[in-house]
């Protein structure tokens, strides 16, 4: 007769989760590089090829991050939403401040649109990282 | 800073009598943040050089000193504390960091960008242009570390400490991540100091 080992207790800390943080940090890093590239040209009009490329890849990575998140089942969703809501408010405010600095200094047209979209990645990505990191250690 | 010093506590060592943080964000500090941000917006909108210089220099000084102090001084000390002491320290220290660091970073960077434009340092003909781009790059790396590692660890520790039975292993892991990130940021701040003092003296 063999004794069957009891199933190992699954705790929030022992969950295996997809690399949402790593992928989203990649998206934010690209957005930051794009922002720095454009700020380096300011107040002149920057060439938009590189920032648009970074924007597209960054947006795709952010989408992948959300896609991976949507497949997670055992997760602290309530805490994730609570933290996400407040951090989103905070980082939308921060992104708004950065956007205001560009607008105040005469950014307009296509460069402004690219900057705003890069800021959207920043303002959405940071709350995703923070709330995912908190949610992974919380019970469902 | 040794691995032993920052060794994660065992789950069975979970601190139970540790004061639980009642607030993740200290609400009393929010009006101060609001006033500072209002002054920052005013300084930018009015191109107020003194205000911009104040926010950039004072904010940068606080940012640098806190990063260096936490990473290189407090970090090794925290690592040598008992589990209970470490958790109690975190419960009192981390909420302040949640409010302090994003505010200081926002003030420093927004004021610095506006100052660079106003003083002509961003102009390609300026001798400081290359140095500023290098500084942007360093700040970019620092932002990725701070936003991707440090800030999430900070908030996650606070949520863990609010549980009826906090997991000491999780707290140790997150605190280790926080302290190492702060140490790396502290080291990168030295590079920023070198660049900024060079910009100011050219």
């Amino acid at each position: 007769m063999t004794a069957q080992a009891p199933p190992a207790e699954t705790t929030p800390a022992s969950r295996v989760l997809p690399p949402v943080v790593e992928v989203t940090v990649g998206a934010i890093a690209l957005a930051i590089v794009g922002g720095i590239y454009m700020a380096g040209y300011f107040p002149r009009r920057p060439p938009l090829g590189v920032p648009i490329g970074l924007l597209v890849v960054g947006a795709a990575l952010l989408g992948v991050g959300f896609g991976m998140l949507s497949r997670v089942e055992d997760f602290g969703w309530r805490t994730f939403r609570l933290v996400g809501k407040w951090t989103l408010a905070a980082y939308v405010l921060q992104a708004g401040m950065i956007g205001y600095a560009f607008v105040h200094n005469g950014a307009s047209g296509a460069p402004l649109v690219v900057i705003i979209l890069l800021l959207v990645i920043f303002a959405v990505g940071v709350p995703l990282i923070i709330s995912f990191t908190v949610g992974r250690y919380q019970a469902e | 800073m040794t691995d032993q010093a920052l060794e994660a506590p065992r789950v069975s060592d979970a601190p139970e009598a540790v004061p639980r943080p009642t607030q993740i964000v200290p609400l009393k500090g929010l009006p101060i943040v609001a006033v500072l941000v209002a002054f920052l917006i005013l300084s930018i909108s009015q191109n107020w050089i003194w205000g911009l210089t104040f926010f950039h220099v004072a904010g940068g000084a606080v940012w640098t000193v806190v990063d260096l102090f936490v990473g290189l001084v407090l970090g090794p000390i925290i690592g040598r504390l008992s589990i209970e002491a470490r958790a109690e320290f975190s419960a009192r220290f981390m909420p302040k960091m949640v409010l302090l660091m994003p505010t200081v970073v926002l003030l420093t960077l927004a004021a610095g960008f506006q100052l660079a434009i106003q003083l002509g340092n961003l102009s390609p003909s300026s001798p400081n242009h290359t140095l500023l781009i290098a500084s942007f790059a360093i700040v970019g790396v620092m932002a990725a570390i701070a936003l991707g590692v440090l800030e999430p660890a900070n908030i996650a520790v606070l949520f863990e400490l609010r549980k009826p039975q906090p997991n000491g292993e999780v707290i140790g892991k997150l605190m280790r991540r926080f302290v190492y990130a702060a140490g790396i940021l502290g080291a990168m701040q030295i590079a920023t100091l070198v660049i900024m003092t060079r910009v100011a003296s050219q």
Side-chain angles (χ1 to χ4, degrees), chain B residues 47-72:
Chain B
N47 294 323
W48 189 21
I49 295 294
W50 180 82
L52 295 171
T53 307
F54 175 80
F55 280 125
H56 187 59
V57 173
V62 173
W63 184 5
T64 307
V65 168
V66 170
D67 272 352
L68 286 170
F69 192 73
V70 171
L72 305 179

Side-chain angles (χ1 to χ4, degrees), chain A residues 11-13 21 25 28-29 32 36 39-44 79 82-83 87 91 93-94 97-98 100-102 104-105 122 126 129-130 133-134 136-139, chain B residues 37 40-41 44-47 102-103 106 110 113-114 117-118 122 124 129 133 136-137 140 143-144 147-148 151-153 155-156 159-160 163 167 170 173-174 177:
Chain A
T11 63
V21 169
V25 166
I28 291 174
I32 290 172
I36 290 170
Y41 278 91
F42 215 71
R44 292 170 299 148
T79 309
L82 175 72
V83 175
T87 48
Y91 281 93
L93 186 72
Q94 284 215 8
M97 272 297 306
I98 298 169
Y100 169 70
F102 277 95
H104 176 68
N105 289 292
F122 169 80
V126 176
I129 292 170
I130 293 174
T133 304
V134 176
R136 74 182 306 154
Y137 298 114
Q138 303 295 317
Chain B
V37 172
L40 172 67
I41 293 171
I44 291 174
S45 65
Q46 302 301 312
N47 294 323
T103 307
L106 176 67
F113 181 64
Q114 190 64 24
I117 291 173
Q118 287 299 311
L122 261 184
H129 180 79
I133 302 303
F136 285 175
L147 297 170
E151 190 77 6
I155 295 174
F159 271 88
E160 190 61 35
K163 290 179 180 173
N167 184 331
V170 169
K173 182 179 158 187
L174 290 168
R177 197 184 295 179

Side-chain angles (χ1 to χ4, degrees), chain B residues 4-202:
Chain B
Q4 188 186 7
L6 286 169
E7 190 180 351
R10 292 189 304 275
V11 180
S12 58
D13 293 330
E16 290 177 10
V18 167
R20 292 158 63 186
T22 52
Q23 291 175 335
I24 301 297
V25 177
L27 298 180
K28 284 180 185 171
L30 285 179
I32 299 170
V33 174
V35 169
L36 289 171
V37 172
F39 270 110
L40 172 67
I41 293 171
L42 194 67
S43 301
I44 291 174
S45 65
Q46 302 301 312
N47 294 323
W48 189 21
I49 295 294
W50 180 82
L52 295 171
T53 307
F54 175 80
F55 280 125
H56 187 59
V57 173
V62 173
W63 184 5
T64 307
V65 168
V66 170
D67 272 352
L68 286 170
F69 192 73
V70 171
L72 305 179
V73 179
L74 273 186
I77 293 172
I78 293 168
R80 287 173 178 82
L81 294 177
S82 68
I83 307 306
E84 289 76 15
R86 200 186 302 183
E88 183 169 1
F89 176 84
S90 304
R92 297 178 195 281
F93 174 73
M94 296 301 235
K96 292 171 179 61
M97 295 298 279
V98 169
L99 205 57
L100 177 68
M101 292 317 284
T103 307
V104 164
V105 170
L106 176 67
L107 298 177
T108 307
L109 296 186
F113 181 64
Q114 190 64 24
L115 205 55
I117 291 173
Q118 287 299 311
L119 299 179
N121 285 326
L122 261 184
S123 165
S125 57
S126 167
N128 288 326
H129 180 79
T130 310
L131 285 170
L132 282 193
I133 302 303
S135 152
F136 285 175
I138 291 169
V139 166
V141 175
M142 287 169 66
I145 295 171
L147 297 170
V149 181
L150 191 130
E151 190 77 6
N154 190 351
I155 295 174
V157 164
L158 290 169
F159 271 88
E160 190 61 35
L161 285 167
R162 282 166 67 96
K163 290 179 180 173
Q165 284 193 311
N167 184 331
E169 190 179 13
V170 169
I171 293 171
K173 182 179 158 187
L174 290 168
M175 280 300 288
R176 193 166 56 233
R177 197 184 295 179
F178 180 88
V179 168
Y180 279 138
I184 293 168
L185 292 177
M188 295 187 76
Q189 288 284 15
I190 293 170
T192 306
L193 281 177
V194 170
I195 291 175
M196 285 301 143
T197 48
R198 188 93 179 102
V199 166
S201 59
Q202 281 203 126

Side-chain angles (χ1 to χ4, degrees), chain A residues 1 11 16-18 20 24 31 43 55-56 65-66 68 70 84 91 105 118-119 123-125 133:
Chain A
M1 195 172 87
T11 63
V16 178
L17 293 170
V20 174
T24 311
L55 174 65
V56 170
F66 274 107
M68 289 192 293
S70 69
Y91 281 93
N105 289 292
L118 289 168
L119 287 173
V124 174
T133 304

